Amino acid sequence: MKTKRPDNDSALINDIKRIPPPPVPYGLDARLLRAVTSHAQTGKVSFRTWLQESFGKAFVWKLAVPLASLFVAGYLAGMGATPARDPASPLAFPAYSPLDTYAAFCLEK
Amino acid sequence: MNSVKQDAEETDSFLLERCRDRDKDALSVLMRRHAPRAYILAHRMLNDTHEAEDVLQEVFLKIWMRPEKWSPEKGGLFSTWLHKVVVHQCLDFIRKRKDSDDIDGMEITASCRDVATDIDQKERLESLQQAIQRLPARQRSAVVLCYQEGYTQKEAMEMLGIGMKALESLLSRAKATLRQLNNL
């Protein structure tokens, strides 16, 4: 449904339409071509773009990001656990890993 | 002369296909064909020669790196799609430079009124152009697309990724501000 614009609107819109376009700089396309092709040759792409181009978009969002989060979480957890490994600490983790315990059990047998 | 005729015969999609094979001549033809109008659009959005060229450089770099982003099967003209990319790149640019000239609820300064009362047509258009540059980015893009670039409201709303109501609201607020600034 079209509504009739007030006269003020028409005058304003006509004025806006009458604003002359800016002049296009001389040699714009040649300058652009040079800039774009040289920029592309330097290979200045972001790490994410490189990952996406190399492994596909799905890799980045479905695999790389969760993997990176897991790695960071594991690293932080490891940092937190380190002081507790002091055998004198009441919060100490077992001195031996489950694998060591299993190995000792096998040796005893 | 011959190359000019050849340029005209080569469709945009054919040129983009050649860009996939890293054909610089195809990119050059695309630029000769579309860069001037895209530049005018970017300049109208940013009001700065260097920034407009920077935006165009970013846009054509994207096209050069990923020419498959547009295909005729997706519908619409290449030029329309290009202008949409230019508008969004300009909006990003404005967002990054944190355009402080947004005038939602801005007070109209005395100098604006003085300029607005000038009856000289050329100066009136210049002051109107300045006023458009001081509009918030999205209102400015709506005005530029609908009134200066000649796109229909339907095309403009698709380019801006908004609904008809939102576009009408942007245009209406923009016109109200421009009327105030120019004493119309």
Side-chain angles (χ1 to χ4, degrees):
Chain A
M1 188 179 69
K2 282 197 171 181
T3 51
K4 193 174 180 288
R5 286 196 189 99
D7 286 340
N8 270 355
D9 265 12
S10 313
L12 178 65
I13 292 167
N14 283 336
D15 275 352
I16 293 172
K17 284 179 180 171
R18 272 208 296 271
I19 296 172
V24 178
Y26 177 75
L28 172 73
D29 50 343
R31 217 164 32 249
L32 273 178
L33 182 67
R34 214 168 32 242
V36 167
T37 49
S38 68
H39 200 94
Q41 273 171 357
T42 59
K44 191 187 163 197
V45 289
S46 68
F47 179 64
R48 190 165 65 90
T49 310
W50 175 79
L51 271 180
Q52 282 180 355
E53 280 176 3
S54 308
F55 303 102
K57 215 168 193 169
F59 170 82
V60 177
W61 296 115
K62 290 182 185 165
L63 194 63
V65 172
L67 271 179
S69 315
L70 269 178
F71 177 78
V72 171
Y75 179 75
L76 291 175
M79 275 175 62
T82 305
R85 283 189 182 279
D86 178 5
S89 164
L91 297 171
F93 276 36
Y96 297 105
S97 70
L99 193 64
D100 291 332
T101 314
Y102 179 69
F105 173 77
C106 289
L107 282 173
E108 274 178 21
K109 288 271 173 183
Chain B
M1 189 70 181
N2 194 20
S3 73
V4 173
K5 193 181 170 193
Q6 201 182 351
D7 284 1
E9 285 168 359
E10 287 172 342
T11 61
D12 292 333
S13 58
F14 178 64
L15 289 170
L16 283 165
E17 263 181 41
R18 280 173 53 194
C19 282
R20 279 185 215 186
D21 302 328
R22 292 282 167 263
D23 184 344
K24 286 182 191 174
D25 292 338
L27 182 68
S28 171
V29 176
L30 266 180
M31 282 178 173
R32 266 206 307 279
R33 194 178 286 175
H34 296 288
R37 241 197 102 185
Y39 170 83
I40 289 171
L41 171 61
H43 194 285
R44 278 172 167 160
M45 289 284 297
L46 300 167
N47 200 30
D48 185 283
T49 307
H50 298 296
E51 286 182 352
E53 278 200 37
D54 282 351
V55 161
L56 246 60
Q57 192 179 316
E58 290 285 325
V59 169
F60 277 104
L61 183 64
K62 279 181 184 172
I63 292 171
W64 180 239
M65 303 298 278
R66 293 284 188 87
E68 70 277 4
K69 284 266 180 184
W70 180 83
S71 66
E73 291 83 38
K74 289 179 184 171
L77 295 170
F78 171 73
S79 59
T80 309
W81 175 81
L82 175 71
H83 288 185
K84 179 181 173 180
V85 178
V86 169
V87 167
H88 284 275
Q89 193 73 32
C90 288
L91 289 174
D92 278 351
F93 212 91
I94 293 166
R95 214 172 291 134
K96 277 180 195 160
R97 79 177 178 199
K98 297 204 189 315
D99 201 5
S100 56
D101 290 343
D102 281 7
I103 48 169
D104 276 331
M106 189 193 84
E107 286 178 25
I108 300 163
T109 59
S111 63
C112 288
R113 284 185 197 280
D114 292 345
V115 175
T117 50
D118 200 319
I119 53 164
D120 182 56
Q121 164 110 349
K122 196 179 167 201
E123 282 189 22
R124 202 177 76 234
L125 293 185
E126 274 174 17
S127 81
L128 185 58
Q129 176 61 27
Q130 284 170 14
I132 290 172
Q133 291 309 318
R134 298 179 68 193
L135 288 173
R138 292 183 74 78
Q139 289 182 28
R140 193 189 317 164
S141 49
V143 167
V144 168
L145 288 174
C146 290
Y147 302 142
Q148 293 192 296
E149 292 294 324
Y151 283 107
T152 62
Q153 290 200 350
K154 189 172 178 287
E155 286 169 329
M157 74 178 207
E158 281 167 6
M159 288 169 88
L160 292 171
I162 56 177
M164 185 57 87
K165 290 262 178 213
L167 179 70
E168 281 172 355
S169 161
L170 284 176
L171 287 172
S172 147
R173 275 183 287 150
K175 281 184 289 189
T177 313
L178 291 174
R179 260 198 306 273
Q180 275 186 310
L181 288 175
N182 287 275
N183 249 357
L184 285 171

